[in-house]
Amino acid sequence: MFNFKQAFNFVPVIDSETEYSDKQIAIIMAAEKLFAIKGFDGASVRDIAHEADINVAMISYYFGSKEKLMEAVFEMRTIKMRLKVETLLQNTSLPPLQKVYVLIDDYVDKFIHQQEFHKIMIREQMIEKDTLIARLIHQLKKRNLESIKTLIDAGQKCGDFKADIDVVLMMTTLVGTVSQMITSQHFYRSVNQLEYMAEIEFQQHMRKKLSIHLRNMFKKLLTNEN
Amino acid sequence: MFNFKQAFNFVPVIDSETEYSDKQIAIIMAAEKLFAIKGFDGASVRDIAHEADINVAMISYYFGSKEKLMEAVFEMRTIKMRLKVETLLQNTSLPPLQKVYVLIDDYVDKFIHQQEFHKIMIREQMIEKDTLIARLIHQLKKRNLESIKTLIDAGQKCGDFKADIDVVLMMTTLVGTVSQMITSQHFYRSVNQLEYMAEIEFQQHMRKKLSIHLRNMFKKLLTNEN
Amino acid sequence: MFNFKQAFNFVPVIDSETEYSDKQIAIIMAAEKLFAIKGFDGASVRDIAHEADINVAMISYYFGSKEKLMEAVFEMRTIKMRLKVETLLQNTSLPPLQKVYVLIDDYVDKFIHQQEFHKIMIREQMIEKDTLIARLIHQLKKRNLESIKTLIDAGQKCGDFKADIDVVLMMTTLVGTVSQMITSQHFYRSVNQLEYMAEIEFQQHMRKKLSIHLRNMFKKLLTNEN
Amino acid sequence: MFNFKQAFNFVPVIDSETEYSDKQIAIIMAAEKLFAIKGFDGASVRDIAHEADINVAMISYYFGSKEKLMEAVFEMRTIKMRLKVETLLQNTSLPPLQKVYVLIDDYVDKFIHQQEFHKIMIREQMIEKDTLIARLIHQLKKRNLESIKTLIDAGQKCGDFKADIDVVLMMTTLVGTVSQMITSQHFYRSVNQLEYMAEIEFQQHMRKKLSIHLRNMFKKLLTNEN
DNA sequence: CATGAATGAGTGTTCATTCAT
DNA sequence: TATGAATGAACACTCATTCAT
């Protein structure tokens, strides 16, 4: 059996209820990759089977259908998508702005480390269908938004943050900026002459740049200081 | 024959080289709509033919292939995507910050009025293929970026703008925020109890909110004033 | 276009509403043949396409689905399945027993000339599914039964027929005997050393034998004479 | 181990050569049921395995293949299909017509009590393939026919039966009538308003009706009396 | 210029069967 | 003996495209 915690240990993991076998994990990850690159309809089950180096029939065997496989991708990822907000909220020693900084870094990390999954989410958000996945995304976003609202609220109550903050718009900028960086990273590399930087190094580069940029912006957005 | 200039006269149009017949325009617009909703692979040529109320064979007949049809969608739209920057640059009376404001509004307008096309662009950016479309998008973004750099440069030279500005990151935030608003507008409506607002009204609502939010952020990002 | 009336002129034809093209007729007849021999599930659309010498895709193109094709087989045949009863009922010159004789011959003829379709009907009757076809068969049988009841009634009223006649059981014997002859004709040939009789000749042999046998039985069943 | 004799003790059983385990019996009976309802191709081995509550692999494991399973169904049933004729022939006290009556009831009983198997037989008779099953059916019918011929012969020699009797046609009517009743029993119920009669009761109803109807017909067919 | 008919490759899925244990 | 996993072929059907007119 595949060790979930070890394989993805760079992000804090909350264990999934569903246990998947090694082969199932392989299929899910192959699917995640190809759904990200080609989209749901663009990636055929044969493509996925080939990528995962398994027989096509195994996909139906394990997941029932292509759609159910997509749901499995979501189930596996969304379980780990809950932000650190819950923990941050309970932390009394950290000042609100610092909490926001941690939050930004958490978002950036998650997007960068799970680019493929996020590409799928971006795509799926646009499809006008009332699928299980659409509902899962909606629910995930709503839960996150509420947690963040509580955090901002606390900052306002203690006088650190300004009064008139549109949290939804703020989050739109946070998520949008990171998403845009992910989707256009090829352009970013080209424009900054970073074409030949190693993937890992480039990820750290993005991570740092985004973190500084967003911290800077959010500080100005939330507080009155310079 | 369809009058291009008249039909899309809310944005300054630079004429395309290629002339399309009414029927071709109908196909392109049906394709744009369905590609936006369902994705390239999710939308079949039969779907598009049905939407455009023409015979399936016409698509191959007019455009050669489904892929070429997508290129036609891009050709028709990208031609009108050049920003007002060129005009702004030559305008000597307007202060730099005001120019940036005009730019922001231009971006917001374009994204909102051509949501369908932008959804396609967001999707296509993610596909890791060196297609004609990928090159078209890259070229468009590069051209826009350079114009904006010149504009920011001018602001820095006259002392209105700060010295250390990462224009690429700034643009990432601009484009990302607007894109994110577009792709998650359903969520936005739901969260702000705007489910039943008429589409037109909602577009103006987004337009205003985004404009204020982005102007506010960019002012802080670019200048030292409060 | 295929001339329906000419091609099947050995049985009185009531024109179908639906017009089929030559190719559609070819597909329907290939389907009829293979459904009869192999059953609905046993006959693949590829088999049928090969038998009809057309591309597999044409079946979906023309009929929508394999099931709809089966329905087309039924539509084409059931339209001609109405017995001569209606005509017989109006005929005042023919005595009731003679009418029954005509009816028997009509049944025998129909079964023998449309063996393939009848094999399908026998099979489909057994499948426990509430399909359109099941309903079509039920309806056809009910209509026929009612007409025959009227005919028997008339015979009883004029005193030619006995009073206690179970028409349903009588029809069960009529249909059952002919069906059984059709389904076990191979055995019949073998047992009567008719293996090498030509098909046409054998059909006439069956026709005659069945007619005499059934007339004889029904005379005894219906009347008091010897 | 399953006790064959006990389980089907309503008909005299001649032991099969092959001994089947409980699990094998369960599979065979599940197969018989589903083959009857859905046909050979319509019933998947997974269906059968599920119905028998065993692992799919067991079917290949025990019987080698789906086709061999069908043969096992036949082997298990045909062994018990030999009629009472042999016993009847040796009985000197019973007059020929009474023997025929016993024979009719025996047929009716067998068909009604083993409807599922008979549905399979009806279907398999129609398949134009020289399979083991086809040969088994042929052989069974031939053996039965010969026994009956001897019985009829005896009746003719003692002067009870008429001289010109086509035994094959007579058997066609016997088997055909009972088969037709079985395959169209749903129609029979509907037409006689017996939809809600309990299955057991309905079987007894059919049994009685068929017995009287067939005895009546056969008496007229075989003898000169009224 | 336009289109209904036709095609072959591809789709997701299910099949009976076999494998490894 | 027994079984979950696995396989490759087949399934019905849809695809983008081309053909004949």
Side-chain angles (χ1 to χ4, degrees):
Chain A
M1 281 284 163
F2 183 85
N3 190 327
F4 225 65
K5 287 176 206 164
Q6 261 181 273
F8 302 101
N9 64 352
F10 47 83
V11 278
V13 171
I14 299 155
D15 258 325
S16 165
E17 315 284 330
T18 322
E19 283 284 323
Y20 292 116
S21 71
D22 283 19
K23 207 154 254 182
Q24 280 171 299
I25 300 279
I27 295 168
I28 290 175
M29 294 182 71
E32 186 181 43
K33 181 178 167 187
L34 294 181
F35 286 156
I37 297 172
K38 303 177 159 199
F40 182 77
D41 294 292
S44 78
V45 290
R46 272 169 187 79
D47 288 344
I48 295 166
H50 184 258
E51 176 76 26
D53 200 30
I54 50 104
N55 188 287
V56 236
M58 293 312 297
I59 289 174
S60 294
Y61 180 71
Y62 275 130
F63 300 95
S65 70
K66 191 186 179 184
E67 197 144 34
K68 292 267 180 62
L69 170 57
M70 174 65 113
E71 286 169 16
V73 170
F74 268 76
E75 201 203 339
M76 177 165 153
R77 289 296 182 203
T78 47
I79 220 72
K80 310 193 286 103
M81 289 291 290
R82 282 172 214 143
L83 296 171
K84 290 188 177 163
V85 200
E86 280 89 351
T87 329
L88 282 173
L89 286 172
Q90 287 152 11
N91 186 327
T92 50
S93 61
L94 217 58
L97 187 60
Q98 291 304 316
K99 287 184 179 177
V100 171
Y101 285 175
V102 173
L103 196 75
I104 288 170
D105 288 359
D106 195 30
Y107 255 109
V108 170
D109 279 355
K110 283 201 169 52
F111 271 71
I112 287 178
H113 284 126
Q114 297 177 14
Q115 290 178 41
E116 283 165 354
F117 180 64
H118 276 95
K119 283 180 186 169
I120 295 175
M121 275 193 55
I122 292 165
R123 250 194 249 270
E124 288 298 315
Q125 262 180 53
M126 290 190 284
I127 296 201
E128 289 177 11
K129 247 199 273 178
D130 185 33
T131 57
L132 173 57
I133 287 155
R135 282 193 297 277
L136 279 172
I137 295 176
H138 189 94
Q139 178 192 323
L140 179 66
K141 287 169 72 177
K142 195 152 201 173
R143 213 171 41 218
N144 281 340
L145 181 64
E146 271 153 22
S147 302
I148 288 153
K149 269 186 174 160
T150 319
L151 199 152
I152 300 298
D153 240 41
Q156 288 173 319
K157 284 207 179 98
C158 75
D160 284 9
F161 292 168
K162 290 191 286 187
D164 60 328
I165 294 164
D166 188 327
V167 182
V168 181
L169 271 183
M170 192 190 81
M171 291 307 295
T172 303
T173 287
L174 173 51
V175 174
T177 301
V178 188
S179 293
Q180 180 61 19
M181 180 61 117
I182 298 298
T183 55
S184 64
Q185 58 187 295
H186 187 70
F187 179 73
Y188 184 89
R189 286 178 99 123
S190 150
V191 137
N192 290 298
Q193 275 97 38
L194 301 173
E195 282 103 335
Y196 302 110
M197 187 182 270
E199 178 61 20
I200 303 285
E201 199 185 341
F202 178 65
Q203 286 188 10
Q204 290 201 318
H205 172 88
M206 281 199 294
R207 199 187 171 287
K208 189 149 201 182
K209 282 278 184 183
L210 279 172
S211 179
I212 293 169
H213 173 65
L214 289 165
R215 282 177 182 222
N216 178 27
M217 269 201 319
F218 276 54
K219 184 185 175 192
K220 285 169 178 156
L221 222 67
L222 294 167
T223 71
N224 287 310
E225 323 161 40
N226 278 346
Chain B
M1 282 287 160
F2 182 86
N3 189 326
F4 223 64
K5 287 176 206 164
Q6 260 181 275
F8 301 102
N9 64 352
F10 49 83
V11 278
V13 170
I14 299 154
D15 258 325
S16 164
E17 318 285 330
T18 324
E19 283 284 322
Y20 291 117
S21 72
D22 283 20
K23 213 160 242 182
Q24 281 170 301
I25 299 281
I27 295 169
I28 290 174
M29 295 183 69
E32 186 182 42
K33 179 178 169 186
L34 294 181
F35 286 156
I37 297 174
K38 304 177 160 198
F40 181 77
D41 295 288
S44 75
V45 290
R46 265 170 189 76
D47 288 343
I48 296 165
H50 185 257
E51 175 78 25
D53 200 31
I54 50 103
N55 187 286
V56 231
M58 294 310 300
I59 289 173
S60 295
Y61 181 71
Y62 275 132
F63 300 95
S65 72
K66 191 185 179 183
E67 200 141 37
K68 292 267 179 61
L69 170 57
M70 175 66 112
E71 286 170 14
V73 171
F74 268 77
E75 201 200 339
M76 176 164 155
R77 287 297 182 204
T78 46
I79 222 69
K80 309 191 286 100
M81 291 291 289
R82 281 170 214 147
L83 297 171
K84 291 185 177 168
V85 199
E86 278 90 349
T87 330
L88 281 172
L89 285 172
Q90 287 152 12
N91 186 329
T92 50
S93 61
L94 219 57
L97 186 61
Q98 292 305 316
K99 286 183 179 176
V100 170
Y101 285 175
V102 173
L103 196 75
I104 288 170
D105 288 0
D106 194 31
Y107 254 109
V108 170
D109 279 356
K110 284 203 171 50
F111 270 73
I112 287 178
H113 284 123
Q114 297 178 14
Q115 289 179 43
E116 284 165 355
F117 180 65
H118 275 96
K119 284 181 185 169
I120 296 174
M121 273 193 56
I122 291 165
R123 247 195 273 265
E124 289 298 316
Q125 264 180 55
M126 291 190 284
I127 294 184
E128 290 175 10
K129 246 199 276 178
D130 185 34
T131 57
L132 172 57
I133 288 157
R135 281 194 299 277
L136 278 172
I137 295 176
H138 189 93
Q139 177 192 323
L140 179 66
K141 286 169 73 176
K142 194 150 201 174
R143 210 169 44 219
N144 281 340
L145 181 64
E146 271 153 21
S147 304
I148 289 153
K149 268 185 174 159
T150 318
L151 198 153
I152 301 298
D153 240 40
Q156 288 172 321
K157 278 197 182 110
C158 76
D160 283 10
F161 292 168
K162 289 191 286 189
D164 61 328
I165 295 163
D166 187 326
V167 182
V168 180
L169 270 183
M170 192 190 81
M171 290 310 293
T172 303
T173 287
L174 173 52
V175 173
T177 300
V178 187
S179 293
Q180 180 61 19
M181 181 61 118
I182 297 299
T183 56
S184 66
Q185 59 186 292
H186 188 70
F187 179 73
Y188 183 89
R189 287 178 99 123
S190 151
V191 138
N192 289 298
Q193 276 99 37
L194 301 174
E195 281 101 336
Y196 301 110
M197 187 182 271
E199 178 59 22
I200 304 285
E201 199 185 343
F202 179 64
Q203 285 189 11
Q204 292 203 317
H205 171 88
M206 280 199 295
R207 200 185 169 291
K208 189 150 199 180
K209 281 279 183 184
L210 280 172
S211 179
I212 293 170
H213 173 64
L214 289 165
R215 283 175 181 222
N216 178 28
M217 270 200 320
F218 276 52
K219 184 185 175 192
K220 283 168 180 157
L221 219 60
L222 293 167
T223 71
N224 287 309
E225 323 160 40
N226 278 346
Chain C
M1 281 285 161
F2 183 83
N3 189 326
F4 224 65
K5 287 177 205 162
Q6 260 181 277
F8 302 102
N9 64 351
F10 46 83
V11 278
V13 170
I14 300 154
D15 259 324
S16 166
E17 315 285 329
T18 322
E19 284 284 322
Y20 292 116
S21 72
D22 283 20
K23 206 156 254 181
Q24 280 171 299
I25 299 279
I27 295 169
I28 290 175
M29 293 182 70
E32 186 181 44
K33 180 178 167 186
L34 295 181
F35 286 157
I37 297 173
K38 304 176 158 200
F40 181 77
D41 294 292
S44 77
V45 291
R46 270 168 190 79
D47 288 344
I48 296 166
H50 185 257
E51 175 78 26
D53 199 30
I54 49 104
N55 188 288
V56 236
M58 294 313 297
I59 289 174
S60 295
Y61 180 71
Y62 276 130
F63 300 96
S65 71
K66 191 185 178 184
E67 198 144 34
K68 292 267 179 62
L69 171 57
M70 175 65 114
E71 286 169 16
V73 171
F74 267 76
E75 201 203 339
M76 176 163 153
R77 288 297 182 203
T78 47
I79 219 72
K80 308 193 287 102
M81 290 291 290
R82 281 171 215 143
L83 297 171
K84 289 186 178 165
V85 200
E86 280 89 351
T87 330
L88 282 172
L89 285 172
Q90 288 151 9
N91 186 327
T92 49
S93 62
L94 219 56
L97 187 61
Q98 291 305 316
K99 287 184 178 177
V100 171
Y101 285 176
V102 173
L103 195 76
I104 289 170
D105 288 0
D106 194 31
Y107 254 108
V108 171
D109 279 356
K110 283 201 170 50
F111 271 72
I112 288 178
H113 284 124
Q114 297 180 11
Q115 290 178 41
E116 283 166 354
F117 179 65
H118 275 96
K119 284 181 185 169
I120 295 175
M121 275 193 55
I122 292 166
R123 250 193 246 271
E124 289 297 316
Q125 263 180 53
M126 290 189 287
I127 295 199
E128 289 177 11
K129 247 200 273 178
D130 186 33
T131 56
L132 172 57
I133 286 155
R135 281 195 298 277
L136 279 173
I137 295 177
H138 189 94
Q139 177 191 323
L140 180 66
K141 287 169 72 177
K142 194 151 201 172
R143 210 170 44 219
N144 282 341
L145 181 64
E146 271 152 23
S147 303
I148 289 154
K149 268 186 175 160
T150 319
L151 198 153
I152 301 298
D153 240 40
Q156 288 172 320
K157 280 200 182 105
C158 76
D160 284 10
F161 291 169
K162 287 191 287 188
D164 61 326
I165 295 164
D166 188 326
V167 182
V168 181
L169 270 183
M170 192 190 82
M171 290 309 294
T172 304
T173 287
L174 172 52
V175 174
T177 300
V178 187
S179 293
Q180 180 61 17
M181 181 61 117
I182 297 298
T183 56
S184 65
Q185 58 187 293
H186 188 70
F187 178 73
Y188 183 89
R189 286 177 99 122
S190 149
V191 138
N192 289 297
Q193 276 95 41
L194 301 173
E195 280 102 336
Y196 302 110
M197 188 183 269
E199 178 61 21
I200 303 284
E201 200 185 343
F202 178 65
Q203 285 189 10
Q204 291 201 318
H205 172 87
M206 281 199 294
R207 197 185 172 290
K208 188 147 198 183
K209 281 280 183 184
L210 280 172
S211 179
I212 294 170
H213 173 64
L214 289 165
R215 283 176 181 219
N216 179 25
M217 272 201 317
F218 276 54
K219 185 185 174 191
K220 283 167 180 158
L221 220 62
L222 295 167
T223 71
N224 288 309
E225 322 161 42
N226 279 347
Chain D
M1 282 286 162
F2 183 85
N3 189 327
F4 223 65
K5 288 176 206 164
Q6 259 182 277
F8 303 101
N9 64 352
F10 47 84
V11 278
V13 171
I14 299 153
D15 257 324
S16 164
E17 317 286 329
T18 323
E19 283 284 323
Y20 292 117
S21 71
D22 283 20
K23 216 161 241 182
Q24 282 170 299
I25 300 281
I27 294 168
I28 289 175
M29 293 183 69
E32 185 182 44
K33 180 178 167 187
L34 295 181
F35 286 157
I37 297 173
K38 304 176 159 199
F40 181 78
D41 295 289
S44 76
V45 291
R46 263 169 191 77
D47 288 342
I48 296 165
H50 185 258
E51 175 78 27
D53 201 30
I54 51 103
N55 187 286
V56 231
M58 294 309 302
I59 288 174
S60 295
Y61 181 72
Y62 274 133
F63 300 94
S65 72
K66 190 184 180 185
E67 198 141 36
K68 292 268 179 61
L69 170 57
M70 174 66 113
E71 287 170 13
V73 171
F74 267 77
E75 201 201 340
M76 176 165 153
R77 286 297 182 204
T78 47
I79 220 71
K80 311 190 287 102
M81 289 293 289
R82 282 173 213 143
L83 297 171
K84 291 186 175 165
V85 201
E86 279 91 349
T87 329
L88 281 172
L89 285 173
Q90 288 151 11
N91 185 327
T92 50
S93 62
L94 217 59
L97 187 59
Q98 292 304 317
K99 287 184 178 178
V100 170
Y101 285 175
V102 173
L103 195 76
I104 287 169
D105 288 359
D106 194 32
Y107 254 109
V108 170
D109 279 356
K110 283 202 169 52
F111 270 71
I112 289 178
H113 284 125
Q114 298 178 14
Q115 290 179 42
E116 284 166 355
F117 179 65
H118 275 96
K119 284 180 185 170
I120 296 175
M121 273 194 56
I122 292 166
R123 248 195 272 264
E124 288 298 315
Q125 264 179 53
M126 290 190 285
I127 294 184
E128 290 174 10
K129 247 200 274 177
D130 186 33
T131 58
L132 173 57
I133 287 157
R135 282 195 298 278
L136 278 172
I137 295 176
H138 190 94
Q139 178 193 324
L140 178 66
K141 286 168 74 176
K142 193 150 201 174
R143 210 169 45 220
N144 281 340
L145 182 64
E146 272 153 21
S147 303
I148 289 154
K149 268 186 175 159
T150 319
L151 198 153
I152 300 298
D153 240 39
Q156 287 172 319
K157 281 204 180 104
C158 76
D160 283 11
F161 293 167
K162 288 191 287 186
D164 60 327
I165 295 164
D166 187 328
V167 183
V168 181
L169 270 183
M170 193 189 80
M171 290 308 295
T172 303
T173 288
L174 173 53
V175 174
T177 300
V178 188
S179 294
Q180 180 60 18
M181 181 62 118
I182 298 299
T183 56
S184 65
Q185 58 185 293
H186 187 70
F187 179 73
Y188 183 89
R189 285 178 101 121
S190 151
V191 137
N192 290 298
Q193 274 100 39
L194 301 173
E195 280 102 336
Y196 301 111
M197 187 182 270
E199 178 60 20
I200 303 286
E201 199 184 344
F202 178 65
Q203 286 189 11
Q204 291 202 316
H205 172 89
M206 281 200 294
R207 199 187 171 287
K208 189 150 200 181
K209 282 279 182 184
L210 279 172
S211 178
I212 293 169
H213 173 64
L214 289 165
R215 283 177 182 219
N216 179 27
M217 269 201 320
F218 275 54
K219 183 184 175 193
K220 283 167 180 158
L221 220 64
L222 294 167
T223 71
N224 287 310
E225 322 160 41
N226 279 346

